[in-house]
């Protein structure tokens, strides 16, 4: 690990008012608190008044408190100081529910500097869990950081959590806005915290902290903090959200090529190191590769990055060994680097509140930090693409509850996929919410229905969706505003003290230049124009297919498996994605493939590097874009001098029916719908006799991959020695 950075270090407030006189006991407590703070943050540190108010409420009054304060204000100092005071009184360890590994690593380092023994339980250190539990039982741990996902793990919930709740000296919920489904970053696992709070013994203080909560979220979180409490008086300490070091600006550039070249030109000129945020995983990877090619020291950081690599990337940024991390929102909360010099967004987040949180990583320990937004015309399309995480319709929820109620055993999420048409991630989120609501329970082996009555709160779910839409419109307004940008963000967070900052581009009239170097722009264009995304073949059938009447299980036999395929690009790419999103928009007409996309596909084929050159082309049947798919297959056949073999067929004119969204149901659809008609089978067999070799299987786009998997298996049965899928687009982060 790199040298640990300082935690939220409180800067002395200007003495505008006389501090209230303290009793002798309060004075002694404050003196001890100040001593612990100095051990944590240095000899010059002293408590802010709201920090002291929170600490006193927790330690002396055993209250529940919600602290809504800007990043860098010193929220972690409150719970570390309160921990030291509570432990000195003989209280049990502090349990901190913390959302991200980056936050955990920083906080453990900060705690150890103050002599506070901290441990963590999360998905990256499973081998240490038992020894950590033993240390907690022996009183050797002062702070235990727990990821929210652990709270919904059956073994942890039933075996470990009751003991922790019974013995905790303080409970802390960090990034508490995640508790509220009104918040911009609601996480179902956080809802389990209500059960934790409800089971706490009387007198255990609770602290919730966040920097990003408007009035509605603040009220919701404060209300949820009262679960199991014997009095309804959560202390709410809400301060100004002004960030005097941040200089906000927007640079509107015409296309992704211009934005990438702008980054390459301007990042080296901005002092210090920082973060470049992107909206998608693929954009982070593409941007990091381009900036590296341009000579900048950068690393990608996404939710798909290996955990060890994420740790190394964090250390590299903390040690200023890289200019920037190119990151998704996986680096959104808790990364603690006070001297972070800039945050640049390549594309706008969906919410001004989310944007405020991410830019809040910068400028905590420097006088000036640059914050620049490079919005894209494709941002709204990308927001729409990721908008499918709202709570499912009532019919779907009832279907899941009925399936669980009718089962005589727990059902795994994979088993439920054969009964409920939701993708795995969305299904799990729904089940977690139902778990907290008491309608289902997670147990060993999966999920069971509790039989408790449950009401679908359609009005609330609709209101939350409407709030998300308002946030998106507000983000567009931020881009075009002619008033102070910091004031705009603070008003979105209901900061009553919001006023012009005097530092942003609107206030000063000093805007970032939008001219880009011609040479760099050409380099960016060449980079983004590189086509080709691998399509990994499916190797395993989904479990539980017999429930759907499909006798497929286990590994897909080698002699039926597709080879590794290729797509021209991802729908979420910042290069080819722009054109692909246009082609596949709901209102886009079905037309022959345009010349630019075709030439991109030709370049994909030229760079493929296959062991054996394909000898023929087969098209997938399409009900939505038959002209596009048919023309694409025909043009590839003509240009590549490959035998045009025709198309797979559907058993009925209706095809597979309305598209299913999860793997099991989609496989059942296409398995029962796709066929190789006798004429196609004869052509494949004849070609293999005369000119043996692989077959290209052409489609417009792939999502779950099961259509191509089944199509490849059918062609393999018909005699094709290898089937290579080829599509224009694939979905992806």
């Amino acid at each position: 690990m790199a040298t640990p950075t300082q935690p939220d270090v409180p800067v002395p407030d200007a003495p505008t008012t006389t501090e209230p006189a303290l009793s002798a006991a309060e004075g002694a407590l404050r003196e001890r608190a100040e001593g612990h703070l100095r051990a944590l943050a240095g000899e010059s540190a002293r408590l802010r008044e709201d920090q002291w108010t929170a600490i006193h409420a927790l330690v002396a009054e055993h209250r529940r408190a919600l602290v809504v304060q800007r990043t860098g204000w010193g929220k972690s100092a409150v719970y570390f100081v309160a921990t030291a005071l509570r432990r000195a009184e003989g209280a049990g360890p502090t349990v901190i529910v913390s959302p991200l590994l980056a936050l955990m690593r920083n906080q453990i380092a900060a705690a150890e500097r103050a002599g506070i023994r901290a441990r963590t339980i999360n998905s990256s250190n499973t081998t240490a869990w038992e020894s950590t539990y033993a240390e907690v039982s022996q009183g050797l741990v002062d702070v235990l950081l727990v990821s929210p996902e652990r709270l919904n793990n059956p073994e942890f919930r039933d075996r470990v959590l009751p003991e922790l709740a019974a013995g905790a000296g303080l409970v802390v919920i960090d990034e508490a806005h995640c508790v509220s489904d009104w918040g911009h970053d609601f996480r179902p696992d956080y809802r389990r915290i209500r059960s934790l709070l409800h089971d706490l013994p009387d007198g255990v203080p609770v602290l919730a902290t966040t920097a990003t909560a408007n009035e509605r979220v603040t009220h919701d979180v404060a209300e949820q903090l009262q679960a199991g409490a014997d009095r309804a008086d959560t202390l709410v300490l809400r301060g100004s959200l002004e960030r005097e070091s941040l200089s906000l600006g927007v640079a509107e550039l015409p296309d992704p090529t211009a934005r990438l070249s702008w980054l390459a030109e301007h990042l080296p000129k901005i002092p210090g190191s920082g973060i470049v945020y992107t909206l998608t995983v693929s954009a982070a990877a593409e941007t990091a590769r381009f900036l590296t090619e341009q000579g900048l020291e950068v690393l990608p950081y996404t939710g798909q990055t290996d955990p060890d690599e994420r740790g190394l990337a964090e250390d590299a940024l903390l040690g200023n060994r890289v200019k920037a991390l190119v990151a998704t929102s996986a680096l959104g909360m808790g990364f603690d680097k006070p001297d972070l010099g800039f945050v640049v967004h390549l594309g706008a987040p969906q919410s001004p509140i989310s944007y405020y949180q991410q830019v809040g990583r910068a400028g905590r320990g420097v006088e000036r930090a640059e914050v620049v937004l490079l919005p894209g015309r494709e941002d709204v399309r990308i927001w729409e693409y990721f908008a499918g995480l709202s709570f499912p319709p009532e019919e779907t929820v009832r279907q899941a509850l009925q399936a669980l109620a009718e089962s005589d055993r727990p059902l795994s999420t994979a088993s439920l996929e054969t009964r409920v048409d939701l993708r795995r991630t969305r299904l799990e989120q729904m089940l977690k919410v139902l778990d907290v609501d008491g309608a289902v329970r997670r147990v060993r082996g999966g999920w069971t229905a509790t039989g408790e009555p449950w009401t679908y709160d359609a009005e609330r779910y609709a209101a939350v969706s409407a709030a998300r839409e308002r946030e998106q419109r507000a983000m567009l307004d931020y881009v075009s505003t002619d008033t102070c940008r910091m004031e705009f963000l603070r008003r979105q967070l209901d900061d009553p003290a919001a006023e012009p900052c005097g530092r942003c581009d609107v206030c000063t009239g000093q805007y970032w230049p939008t001219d880009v170097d011609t040479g760099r722009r050409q380099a960016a264009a060449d980079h983004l124009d590189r086509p080709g995304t691998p399509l990994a073949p499916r190797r395993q059938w989904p479990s539980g297919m017999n429930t759907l009447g499909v006798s497929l299980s286990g590994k897909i036999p080698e002699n039926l498996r597709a080879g590794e395929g290729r797509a021209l690009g991802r729908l979420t790419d910042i290069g080819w994605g722009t054109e692909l999103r246009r082609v596949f928009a709901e209102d886009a007409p079905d037309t022959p493939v345009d010349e630019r996309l075709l030439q991109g596909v030709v370049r994909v084929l030229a760079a493929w590097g296959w062991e054996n050159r394909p000898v023929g082309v087969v098209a997938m049947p399409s009900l939505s874009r038959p002209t596009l798919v048919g023309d694409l297959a025909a043009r590839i056949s003509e240009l590549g001098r490959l035998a045009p073999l025709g198309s797979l067929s559907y058993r009925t004119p209706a095809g597979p029916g309305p598209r299913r969204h999860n793997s099991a149901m989609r496989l059942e659809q296409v398995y029962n719908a796709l066929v190789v008609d006798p004429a196609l089978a004869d052509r494949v067999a004849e070609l293999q006799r005369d000119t043996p070799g692989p077959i290209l299987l052409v489609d417009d786009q792939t999502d779950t991959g099961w259509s191509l998997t089944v199509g490849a298996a059918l062609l393999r049965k018909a005699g094709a020695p290898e089937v290579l899928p080829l599509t224009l687009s694939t979905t992806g982060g």
Side-chain angles (χ1 to χ4, degrees), residues 381-395:
R381 294 266 189 181
I382 295 175
W383 297 346
E384 292 171 352
Y385 176 76
F386 287 117
L389 294 179
S390 58
F391 200 67
E394 182 171 7
E395 180 183 359

Side-chain angles (χ1 to χ4, degrees), residues 157 314 467 597 630:
R157 181 195 65 211
E314 292 164 19
L597 291 181

Side-chain angles (χ1 to χ4, degrees), residues 191-215:
R191 293 284 293 273
R192 174 59 55 189
I193 291 171
R194 294 190 66 175
S195 300
L196 168 63
L197 299 181
H198 189 276
D199 294 338
L200 287 177
D202 291 341
V204 176
V206 177
L207 172 67
T209 67
T210 180
T212 48
N214 58 21
E215 286 291 350

